[in-house]
Amino acid sequence: MSVVFDGSPLKAMQSSHTHTPQTALSTQELSQEIKSFISGVDSVQGRKLSVREHARCAVRLLRSVPACRGAVLEHLRSVYDEHVSAFLHNLETEGDASSGVSSNLEDIIQEVHGVLSEFIRLNPRAWAPLVSAWAVDLLGQLSSKHAGRRVAPHSSSLNELLQLWMSCAATRSLMEAYSQCLAAMLAWCPDACVDALLDTSVQHSPHFDWVVAHIGSAFPGTIISRVLACGLKDFCSHGAKDQGLMVMGVDKGNRVPKIGSVVGILGHLAAHHSDSIRKELLRMFQESLSPSSPLSPTSSSTSWEGSPQLRRAAVPFLLQLAAMSPNLFGAVSAELVELLRPPVLLQLQALLQGLPREELDNMLGLAVHLISQSPSGGARVLRFLADTATPASVIISGPTSSPHEGVREGCDRLLQMLLLHLHKLVFNRSDGVEGKPHHSASSQPQRVIPFLEELQSHVGELCAETLRLERKRHLWLHQLLCLLSVYGGPTVATEALCQLLTQARNPEELALAWQLHTTLSSCMAGLIPAAVTRCVAQIHTHTLGPRQLRQLLLNLAAAIQSQDEERRGSAGAQSSMAIQVGSAVSGHLHDFGPLLLHGDPAVSHATVRLLSCSPLPRTSSPAHLLLLSRAAVTHFFLALRRRGEGGKVGRDGGQAGEAVNCSVLLLSRFAAYSPLTLKAVLQQLVEGALHKGNADLFGGQIADMSGAPVPSPSVSPDLGAALLDINCRFGTTVNFSGSVWSVFHAGVIGKGLKVRTATQTPDPSGVIQNVQTLLAVIVQCCSSFGLNGSINGSRPPSDPDEPPPINAEAAKVVAVTLVENVCPDVANGELSWPPEEHARTTVERDIHIRRCFEAHPVLFPLLQVVAAGRPALCYCSAVLRGLLATLLAHWEASREVSSTDSPWHLQASCLLVSCMGEGQLLPPVLANVHEAFPYLTPFEVRLLLLAVWEYVRGNGPMPQKFVFSSEKGLFCRDFSRDGDVARYVAPIHSVLHKNIDRLGHLCWRFQL
């Protein structure tokens, strides 16, 4: 056994034998040798020849009488078989019983190998074809016959099988003889040698694969090219029809096509020579289309390139080859698409035009099958087909030129056949399961479609190409997108719908998403909620850029707003989808809410547009509601600022105005959702309006803790420690009224009085517009419609032109919030008014209140809103008292000739009395005194305001004094229950009499 496995080459074994001098046989001896060979009996001694003696006789005849080589080679088959049997038996028994037989026969095999090798070397044209056919056929027979032996590895284990057979002297001798023949025939007739290899491979595969693997590794270039050439000739000789039947599994007669063997051989070589195989396949394709002479200078005259018939059959042959071997198709598909440029396509069209209709249809069907089963490069193939099949009238983006009309029609047909084939595969892949939803997926495994499997990773690109809306092209891609969604299940369908919602830029493109949903809704439930959830996940992971995020939000808003079409009687499919989108978005409002504060104004605008039209959920967490309310209010003030900035530069005015309107609508809807959101929205609106960052929007100035306006740092230099800061450090000490600590508003010790800085005056029209917008949103939130309409039992007015009544509880929220922000240290129970002299004890707080009103002109409109929601103004009693006290002090100290010389104080006095009259804290006769203020002196104004003070002190502003009127839907106060008003009107009549020349037209306003 050591001799068998030592790996020594046979050439060493034959060298000594080849040079051994051989004695020439006489005629009589030669005759006796022939008789002994034929009969198997020794002609001299008359006994039967042994196997070794008979084989030796055959070798002598082969050496002396070459004409009997056929018979000798046929006899040597049994000798080789005997040696192989003994070799395998020795391995099975792991003994030495047959070693003698093996060594005796090995002697003969070495001698035979030496004789054949010498003959091939001396006369290759005569001996190489015969020996190669004999050797390869005998190798096939031996491989098949002994494949079932216990020591023989499985046919799939090529390495182990190759090691076993190459360690046997008989099979190794045959392999080296065939290799010598092949090397000798390469120069003049390689096809015959390769034909024998192919025929044997077809007959004895897969047991013969180890021979192919070894020969292919020794001659890769030759074997690949010649195997392809021989396969092409066989394909052309027997026609493509038989090959197609073989691919479909139908046996036609006893002939087995060589293409199966070609596939097997190339498959074995692909492990180490895939690049050579790929180049050879592409070369065959290119040369089959080229009308010129063969590109290969080494090809012989018998090569396939010189035959027009073989050149026409090359493309169908390659298709059949690719259909039988996905690995081969995958190796060339990527570069094949790159080769298919317009000139090559024209050549291919010219080649295929000459084919019969049936054969052409078979080729197209085979190409469709190949594409559908392609495991890679599907996206590139699809783009190529779509680009080539697109009509010439459509502008194709990119460097691709417009294809020839015939080429375009061919690709159009191929693409339609592909879609039809994929449709059949997708909807028939679960055999017998359709209509039986109770069958589990495990009991009926789904058929894998490699083309669609590969496209699942290109859903985004496919959606982008579909949304280009090019004629025919987007229809093909949309149909493919539907098939891909059905094949991939809810995951792919959700991603496709999400991509369409994200990338659609106009209603026409967005309609493709509705069409996809309509198609898939019959077989998938809950698709829209899943798509919205996926969109939200992309928002959380910051996958989308600002532009994509804005487009997604606008598309969702457009989908929800399409419900209006349902109310107008339009088709219900799109409206039904709009309802589902609205329901899905309402469940994720807390996820969309933070986008209101996005840094990109376009994104925040799209968000408020979506939230303003989205239905609110039936139930929601209080934490989510508060976060949404705060984000909505913050966005409202941002929208006001952007509207003002846009108006200054003259751009984006329409978009900024729309954002403000949507924000107002969103806030009113939030306020009407629940009492919790009503209170939150109103509180944050009032706080935001008084915040220093938003004060300039409403004509206000940034105020410090005392309420005094703070100059800009760029205008006022740093003068050191301010007295205010020193006083702040003593905030916990006793407040000594009238002491030095009460006078800290004049300046800084050692630096003199404060310098009055000129502040920038905001645009009056913009301020008025902002104030009106703020009041509009607060009034809408405080109106008695919506979910909060039953708080006070109010009802809407009978006249639709009348403004809706202000909700008393909502107005109370505004009042309490206003008091907390203007004067935080006021207790809620301070409703009654003390005597006017008592105001000296609260002078600092009163000054702070007055300066807040100076810094925030929006406070007076807010008081008017509170006054309209009677009796909410009662809760502003402390603020009203403090402001009125400072006005009394001003008019008392004023030495001006007329009240009009103090314009702010005059306006404040008029607005204060007007609000108190509107809130019914004053009877009508006292509520009208502000009409006379512009005509009076400061002292007379003080007298009238003092009368107002005395009345309110005597008739405290208590909410209990108001009674709800079901007719008006408001709370009203009956002043007849309050005592005599005449004693408070006496100062008014005195002032009227003194100024009768100027106030005569107002006398009727002050009659009891």
Side-chain angles (χ1 to χ4, degrees):
M1 292 302 295
S2 61
V3 177
V4 175
F5 287 101
D6 63 356
S8 59
L10 264 175
K11 292 186 181 297
M13 290 190 269
Q14 76 184 41
S15 58
S16 59
H17 177 78
T18 304
H19 298 285
T20 302
Q22 300 293 331
T23 305
L25 298 178
S26 62
T27 305
Q28 184 179 0
E29 291 176 341
L30 188 59
S31 175
Q32 291 177 356
E33 290 288 346
I34 293 175
K35 291 179 181 179
S36 298
F37 174 74
I38 295 175
S39 63
V41 179
D42 189 345
S43 58
V44 178
Q45 300 179 5
R47 61 178 178 83
K48 185 176 181 181
L49 296 176
S50 64
V51 176
R52 185 177 183 282
E53 293 173 342
H54 202 169
R56 180 75 67 179
C57 179
V59 172
R60 288 195 294 268
L61 283 179
L62 181 62
R63 190 185 302 255
S64 304
V65 188
C68 64
R69 56 190 177 183
V72 172
L73 292 177
E74 187 65 27
H75 173 74
L76 290 177
R77 288 176 181 266
S78 61
V79 177
Y80 276 76
D81 182 55
E82 183 73 18
H83 179 271
V84 171
S85 299
F87 171 76
L88 295 177
H89 178 73
N90 186 35
L91 292 180
E92 290 173 347
T93 58
E94 297 182 353
D96 299 331
S98 59
S99 61
V101 177
S102 176
S103 61
N104 291 336
L105 293 182
E106 187 172 345
D107 240 1
I108 302 300
I109 288 173
Q110 293 176 10
E111 189 174 352
V112 171
H113 182 78
V115 172
L116 294 179
S117 176
E118 186 69 16
F119 285 161
I120 295 171
R121 184 179 63 82
L122 296 177
N123 191 3
R125 290 184 178 270
W127 285 92
L130 176 64
V131 175
S132 65
W134 171 77
V136 76
D137 184 62
L138 182 55
L139 281 171
Q141 290 181 0
L142 294 175
S143 301
S144 298
K145 179 179 179 180
H146 300 284
R149 300 292 289 265
R150 180 165 57 87
V151 294
H154 192 269
S155 58
S156 61
S157 304
L158 284 182
N159 291 332
E160 298 178 8
L161 202 60
L162 185 62
Q163 183 179 2
L164 172 69
W165 290 121
M166 291 303 290
S167 64
C168 177
T171 50
R172 184 168 71 250
S173 169
L174 293 174
M175 183 68 75
E176 293 195 3
Y178 179 80
S179 300
Q180 184 181 3
C181 294
L182 181 59
M185 296 171 64
L186 285 179
W188 49 275
C189 184
D191 291 345
C193 199
V194 175
D195 273 339
L197 183 67
L198 290 179
D199 292 336
T200 309
S201 177
V202 171
Q203 185 176 0
H204 297 285
S205 182
H207 311 298
F208 188 71
D209 292 347
W210 71 272
V211 178
V212 177
H214 181 75
I215 297 299
S217 299
F219 305 92
T222 301
I223 290 297
I224 292 173
S225 60
R226 295 307 170 183
V227 161
L228 286 175
C230 292
L232 175 60
K233 292 178 181 179
D234 180 78
F235 180 86
C236 185
S237 301
H238 298 89
K241 186 175 181 181
D242 294 348
Q243 312 285 352
L245 292 174
M246 189 271 294
V247 172
M248 300 301 293
V250 179
D251 185 14
K252 184 176 178 65
N254 296 325
R255 194 194 68 83
V256 181
K258 293 182 180 179
I259 192 170
S261 182
V262 172
V263 171
I265 293 173
L266 296 181
H268 294 313
L269 297 179
H272 300 287
H273 305 282
S274 59
D275 190 60
S276 300
I277 294 175
R278 176 180 54 82
K279 292 180 179 179
E280 189 62 31
L281 290 174
L282 293 176
R283 187 188 70 85
M284 175 174 280
F285 173 75
Q286 290 177 299
E287 293 189 1
S288 66
L289 300 180
S290 176
S292 60
S293 60
L295 297 178
S296 176
T298 60
S299 59
S300 63
S301 59
T302 60
S303 182
W304 66 271
E305 294 94 335
S307 171
Q309 183 180 5
L310 292 179
R311 295 168 72 87
R312 285 194 300 269
V315 173
F317 168 71
L318 292 176
L319 284 176
Q320 289 286 354
L321 199 63
M324 297 178 65
S325 176
N327 294 332
L328 296 179
F329 177 66
V332 300
S333 60
E335 292 194 20
L336 185 61
V337 174
E338 297 296 331
L339 287 177
L340 295 178
R341 297 302 179 186
V344 178
L345 290 175
L346 290 176
Q347 295 175 359
L348 184 59
Q349 181 201 14
L351 177 67
L352 298 181
Q353 280 180 347
L355 296 178
R357 179 58 180 258
E358 182 181 0
E359 186 175 349
L360 185 60
D361 292 342
N362 291 337
M363 284 186 58
L364 290 178
L366 191 56
V368 167
H369 171 76
L370 283 175
I371 296 173
S372 65
Q373 299 301 318
S374 174
S376 62
R380 184 179 300 180
V381 173
L382 177 63
R383 177 182 291 275
F384 163 75
L385 291 177
D387 289 344
T388 310
T390 302
S393 58
V394 177
I395 299 177
I396 303 175
S397 61
T400 306
S401 58
S402 179
H404 187 269
E405 186 64 22
V407 174
R408 188 199 65 78
E409 292 178 356
C411 284
D412 188 342
R413 182 183 176 189
L414 182 61
L415 193 54
Q416 292 183 9
M417 291 177 64
L418 174 63
L419 292 174
L420 179 61
H421 181 66
L422 291 175
H423 187 277
K424 293 178 181 179
L425 292 178
V426 168
F427 289 98
N428 295 329
R429 58 184 176 141
S430 300
D431 300 334
V433 181
E434 265 188 64
K436 300 179 182 179
H438 299 290
H439 282 68
S440 63
S442 59
S443 61
Q444 292 289 342
Q446 295 180 345
R447 181 187 305 169
V448 176
I449 306 176
F451 178 74
L452 296 181
E453 286 285 341
E454 199 262 343
L455 281 185
Q456 289 184 17
S457 60
H458 300 276
V459 173
E461 302 172 10
L462 186 59
C463 291
E465 290 293 325
T466 305
L467 292 174
R468 289 168 60 181
L469 294 181
E470 295 176 349
R471 184 164 61 94
K472 278 193 174 183
R473 180 192 185 96
H474 81 280
L475 299 177
W476 297 327
L477 298 180
H478 191 270
Q479 184 180 354
L480 180 61
L481 194 61
C482 294
L483 293 175
L484 184 61
S485 301
V486 174
Y487 175 80
T491 302
V492 178
T494 300
E495 182 182 359
L497 189 57
C498 179
Q499 290 288 347
L500 291 178
L501 289 175
T502 304
Q503 300 184 28
R505 293 162 295 182
N506 51 57
E508 291 77 14
E509 295 181 359
L510 189 59
L512 294 178
W514 311 152
Q515 295 174 14
L516 178 64
H517 173 262
T518 303
T519 305
L520 299 178
S521 59
S522 59
C523 57
M524 296 184 191
L527 186 57
I528 289 182
V532 174
T533 302
R534 183 178 180 86
C535 294
V536 171
Q538 291 183 344
I539 294 174
H540 286 318
T541 56
H542 303 284
T543 306
L544 304 177
R547 182 175 300 180
Q548 292 177 315
L549 181 56
R550 169 185 173 273
Q551 195 62 57
L552 171 63
L553 298 172
L554 291 178
N555 290 337
L556 291 175
I560 297 175
Q561 290 172 343
S562 63
Q563 296 184 58
D564 298 337
E565 300 180 3
E566 183 181 17
R567 301 186 183 97
R568 301 189 189 103
S570 66
Q574 182 173 344
S575 302
S576 175
M577 179 178 176
I579 296 175
Q580 295 184 49
V581 173
S583 177
V585 171
S586 66
H588 293 279
L589 288 185
H590 59 282
D591 296 306
F592 291 105
L595 297 179
L596 290 169
L597 307 180
H598 196 276
D600 191 341
V603 175
S604 61
H605 175 216
T607 305
V608 74
R609 183 175 175 182
L610 171 62
L611 297 182
S612 64
C613 65
S614 171
L616 299 177
R618 294 183 178 273
T619 58
S620 183
S621 167
H624 290 166
L625 292 176
L626 293 177
L627 289 176
L628 283 172
S629 301
R630 184 171 296 278
V633 171
T634 306
H635 175 270
F636 169 73
F637 292 109
L638 290 175
L640 290 181
R641 186 171 300 280
R642 289 167 183 162
R643 183 177 65 178
E645 294 174 354
K648 291 179 181 179
V649 299
R651 59 180 177 84
D652 295 335
Q655 182 177 355
E658 183 186 1
V660 172
N661 296 335
C662 292
S663 185
V664 171
L665 177 60
L666 176 61
L667 290 173
S668 61
R669 295 179 71 239
F670 274 166
Y673 181 71
S674 68
L676 174 65
T677 54
L678 171 66
K679 182 178 180 180
V681 168
L682 291 176
Q683 283 181 341
Q684 292 161 15
L685 279 174
V686 175
E687 292 174 356
L690 300 180
H691 189 270
K692 61 181 180 180
N694 302 322
D696 58 322
L697 294 175
F698 308 101
Q701 301 174 357
I702 301 176
D704 59 15
M705 292 183 60
S706 65
V710 176
S712 173
S714 60
V715 178
S716 176
D718 185 9
L719 299 178
L723 185 60
L724 170 60
D725 297 332
I726 299 176
N727 280 271
C728 289
R729 298 170 190 170
F730 294 89
T732 57
T733 60
V734 179
N735 184 10
F736 298 98
S737 300
S739 67
V740 65
W741 300 110
S742 300
V743 187
F744 56 86
H745 305 301
V748 179
I749 295 177
K751 301 295 182 182
L753 296 174
K754 283 184 178 180
V755 179
R756 291 291 179 178
T757 57
T759 57
Q760 295 182 355
T761 304
D763 180 21
S765 61
V767 170
I768 294 174
Q769 186 182 18
N770 291 337
V771 171
Q772 290 177 347
T773 304
L774 176 65
L775 295 181
V777 67
I778 291 180
V779 169
Q780 288 186 26
C781 293
C782 294
S783 63
S784 57
F785 298 106
L787 298 177
N788 59 335
S790 59
I791 295 179
N792 58 2
S794 61
R795 59 179 177 81
S798 57
D799 187 0
D801 295 333
E802 292 185 21
I806 300 298
N807 189 303
E809 290 295 328
K812 179 182 176 181
V813 173
V814 177
V816 173
T817 307
L818 190 148
V819 172
E820 291 177 352
N821 284 269
V822 173
C823 192
D825 60 343
V826 173
N828 293 332
E830 297 186 25
L831 299 183
S832 59
W833 287 37
E836 189 267 339
E837 296 82 4
H838 186 69
R840 298 174 184 175
T841 61
T842 58
V843 60
E844 294 179 15
R845 187 179 74 181
D846 297 342
I847 292 175
H848 173 80
I849 293 174
R850 189 205 68 192
R851 290 193 170 180
C852 280
F853 275 85
E854 290 179 345
H856 300 283
V858 74
L859 283 173
F860 284 111
L862 291 176
L863 280 178
Q864 292 174 343
V865 174
V866 174
R870 297 188 290 264
L873 193 61
C874 297
Y875 300 97
C876 293
S877 178
V879 174
L880 299 176
R881 184 175 69 243
L883 180 60
L884 183 54
T886 57
L887 292 175
L888 286 172
H890 170 77
W891 293 122
E892 182 181 9
S894 176
R895 296 297 180 264
E896 304 293 343
V897 177
S898 173
S899 61
T900 55
D901 294 331
S902 300
W904 186 90
H905 295 84
L906 175 62
Q907 182 185 20
S909 301
C910 294
L911 291 175
L912 177 61
V913 175
S914 174
C915 287
M916 296 177 67
E918 177 67 20
Q920 292 189 351
L921 300 187
L922 299 175
V925 65
L926 289 176
N928 297 330
V929 296
H930 67 281
E931 299 179 11
F933 287 169
Y935 305 99
L936 303 179
T937 62
F939 177 76
E940 293 170 337
V941 173
R942 180 184 181 277
L943 289 178
L944 298 185
L945 290 178
L946 192 59
V948 170
W949 181 289
E950 291 298 327
Y951 177 84
V952 178
R953 185 181 70 84
N955 303 274
M958 301 297 176
Q960 295 82 359
K961 295 183 179 182
F962 290 80
V963 179
F964 182 73
S965 173
S966 58
E967 296 180 359
K968 298 181 180 180
L970 297 171
F971 284 89
C972 298
R973 180 176 179 180
D974 187 4
F975 290 98
S976 60
R977 298 181 180 180
D978 290 339
D980 188 13
V981 187
R983 63 190 184 95
Y984 304 105
V985 183
I988 301 176
H989 289 168
S990 176
V991 173
L992 286 175
H993 292 161
K994 182 180 179 181
N995 300 282
I996 192 65
D997 56 334
R998 290 177 294 169
L999 301 178
H1001 64 288
L1002 296 178
C1003 291
W1004 67 277
R1005 300 282 287 168
F1006 303 101
Q1007 296 179 0
L1008 296 175

